[in-house]
Amino acid sequence: MPAFRENSQNSQKSQPDSDGDEPLASTKAQTSIEPVWIQPGSAAFRRISIALFLAGYATFSLIYCVQPLLPELARHFAVGPAESSLALSLTTGFLAFAILLAGAVSEATGRKKLMLLSMCVASVLNLIAPFLSDWYAFLVVRALEGLMLGGVPAVAMAYLAEEIDPKGLGMAMGIYISGTAIGGLSGRVVIGFLTDLLGWHMALGAMGALGLVAALGFAILLPASRNFVRRPGFQVRYHLCAWAGHLTHAGLPFVFLIGAFAMGCFVTIFNYVGFRLSEAPYGLSQSQIGLIFVVYLCGSVTSSIAGALSDRLGRGPVLLFGVLLAGVGVGMTLLESLPAIIGGIVVLTSGFFVAHAIASGWVGRLAETSKGHASSLYLLAYYLGSSIMGSVGGWFWAYGGWNAVAGFAGALLVGALLCGLYLWWMATQASRNAQGDLVAKAS
């Protein structure tokens, strides 16, 4: 793997004549101006890291603040577990398609402007949602919130890939992913305590207010793009060609599938563990269930570490380790002991964020051109996995209990593992081909 890492770092210096010479070659970018990279450790790097940490925080706290409330929403609106999951699944489903368009729109409007607008409007919608008395109106607002939040994840990944020196991209992406982990933590844990103190209506509104504060910090800290090239108007043919190029790439579609499978597993477990633990013999309260989501801190730590390790060891082995670790966590949740179940969630969360951080960074390295489009395709798959698999998991819970839910989640991880093995094999082949070319040129 070190040889592949060296090859990927040097790919911009000498590009092969055709994609066939390098199976995992990045989609090619022919630019006439050398990029002005932001170096790791610089003041600009720190500002970007903090700003995108805030963006990740705001986005994911707003998305997932309803997840621990699913049992509460089911009781309040008199709906079943699978239907209550629509409060999250509709958000992530609309988010998925919005991300696909956001990457294209940001090519014309600029990265920072679109991210800031998305954060502000979504926060206001979260302030409105808890004061709606009709279930379907509540779902509509949650869907619109997902539509607006699509302007953050794909564009944030594209911004990092364009602005950060490649040797520090893994670390920067890991810090952004850690922000998403803290946001997910805040959205789940804080709202549990606020719900017990103030009721779920006020708790949900408070999360919207926190989102606005994060948006203000983001606006102040994030520097303007240096390497972004604006494309005025919405050029349909250009966008379709960009998406098609990424979908026909030798490696990118498998990275997209990893995102879908891993996220589908993760959300399925977290959607229905609250139902399991609120019932006998556990009988946990809303704040106690919310405390379980403190395990997101593990995701914040492991994603940052994984990003840095991938820059040194290569992405393949770190990715596979994360998927296998998540599988161990799912298996542990099958035990009846409450400490074992919580321990399993800790292990699952750690492994998931390792896999997600590596896959996210891999997209940025493989796609040299139209990075916003590549990021949007990855996140489209990622959130469709969340939306579809998260709701399908409700069927397994209703008809097979927790064993069925865990079996479904495990099957998804097997799919992610197979994709990861294929990518690692392709990366090894690319490294060998590159070394052979260097030997031939030297002779």
Side-chain angles (χ1 to χ4, degrees):
M1 287 309 297
F4 171 67
R5 186 180 71 254
E6 181 179 351
N7 173 59
S8 64
Q9 289 174 343
N10 294 335
S11 62
Q12 293 178 333
K13 298 178 182 178
S14 59
Q15 297 190 7
D17 295 332
S18 66
D19 289 351
D21 294 332
E22 191 176 353
L24 279 186
S26 303
T27 51
K28 300 296 184 277
Q30 301 296 335
T31 58
S32 58
I33 301 176
E34 286 295 322
V36 182
W37 300 118
I38 292 175
Q39 301 298 322
S42 65
F45 183 90
R46 289 190 292 271
R47 289 183 61 189
I48 289 173
S49 297
I50 296 172
L52 289 182
F53 179 93
L54 290 174
Y57 167 85
T59 301
F60 288 84
S61 65
L62 293 172
I63 292 172
Y64 291 108
C65 59
V66 298
Q67 194 170 41
L69 297 180
L70 294 183
E72 188 76 23
L73 294 175
R75 287 190 292 268
H76 181 83
F77 290 104
V79 296
E83 190 175 355
S84 72
S85 72
L86 290 174
L88 178 60
S89 293
L90 282 176
T91 305
T92 54
F94 275 80
L95 176 76
F97 287 101
I99 283 171
L100 189 64
L101 296 176
V105 171
S106 71
E107 299 285 342
T109 62
R111 311 298 194 197
K112 181 176 180 178
K113 183 186 298 184
L114 183 60
M115 286 190 282
L116 180 59
L117 177 65
S118 298
M119 293 167 66
C120 290
V121 176
S123 297
V124 171
L125 287 171
N126 212 72
L127 285 167
I128 296 172
F131 302 103
L132 299 173
S133 59
D134 181 72
W135 172 241
Y136 296 104
F138 181 85
L139 291 181
V140 167
V141 171
R142 286 292 299 173
L144 290 174
E145 198 169 330
L147 194 64
M148 292 308 305
L149 285 172
V152 179
V155 181
M157 292 171 63
Y159 178 95
L160 287 173
E162 287 171 345
E163 304 300 324
I164 302 297
D165 190 294
K167 66 177 178 287
L169 179 59
M171 180 182 296
M173 194 69 73
I175 292 172
Y176 165 68
I177 297 298
S178 72
T180 71
I182 296 295
L185 167 67
S186 175
R188 291 167 167 104
V189 177
V190 174
I191 203 169
F193 284 99
L194 291 178
T195 297
D196 282 347
L197 290 173
L198 306 173
W200 70 268
H201 300 79
M202 293 298 293
L204 203 58
M207 299 310 299
L210 287 174
L212 288 174
V213 173
L216 176 62
F218 171 86
I220 295 172
L221 290 171
L222 191 71
S225 298
R226 301 183 183 186
N227 302 319
F228 171 69
V229 178
R230 188 183 304 274
R231 292 179 178 270
F234 191 85
Q235 303 171 25
V236 176
R237 183 175 180 181
Y238 161 73
H239 296 302
L240 290 176
C241 289
W243 284 320
H246 295 315
L247 289 173
T248 55
H249 186 271
L252 280 170
F254 293 93
V255 184
F256 303 155
L257 284 174
I258 289 171
F261 289 139
M263 185 59 165
C265 164
F266 186 66
V267 169
T268 294
I269 294 295
F270 274 83
N271 270 2
Y272 302 103
V273 72
F275 287 97
R276 182 189 184 190
L277 297 180
S278 64
E279 297 178 352
Y282 309 106
L284 300 187
S285 69
Q286 191 66 55
S287 58
Q288 289 172 326
I289 291 173
L291 274 176
I292 294 173
F293 293 96
V294 170
V295 301
Y296 258 64
L297 289 172
C298 300
S300 176
V301 173
T302 58
S303 61
S304 297
I305 294 173
L309 283 176
S310 71
D311 290 334
R312 291 163 43 195
L313 304 177
R315 293 173 175 82
V318 181
L319 172 67
L320 293 181
F321 173 77
V323 174
L324 291 172
L325 190 64
V328 172
V330 171
M332 290 175 64
T333 66
L334 290 169
L335 301 174
E336 295 297 327
S337 166
L338 180 60
I341 294 171
I342 295 174
I345 294 173
V346 170
V347 175
L348 165 65
T349 301
S350 300
F352 166 75
F353 276 101
V354 168
H356 178 38
I358 299 306
S360 299
W362 216 336
V363 171
R365 292 297 298 135
L366 293 180
E368 287 183 7
T369 186
S370 303
K371 292 179 183 292
H373 294 77
S375 298
S376 67
L377 284 173
Y378 171 77
L379 291 170
L380 171 66
Y382 181 84
Y383 288 112
L384 281 180
S386 169
S387 180
I388 296 172
M389 305 307 175
S391 290
V392 170
W395 184 89
F396 284 92
W397 168 253
Y399 293 99
W402 189 256
N403 288 346
V405 171
F408 175 60
L412 294 174
L413 287 178
V414 170
L417 184 66
L418 292 175
C419 291
L421 286 169
Y422 175 76
L423 282 170
W424 194 5
W425 176 80
M426 291 287 286
T428 303
Q429 294 298 111
S431 176
R432 290 174 179 171
N433 291 342
Q435 287 180 337
D437 290 342
L438 289 174
V439 171
K441 290 178 181 179
S443 60

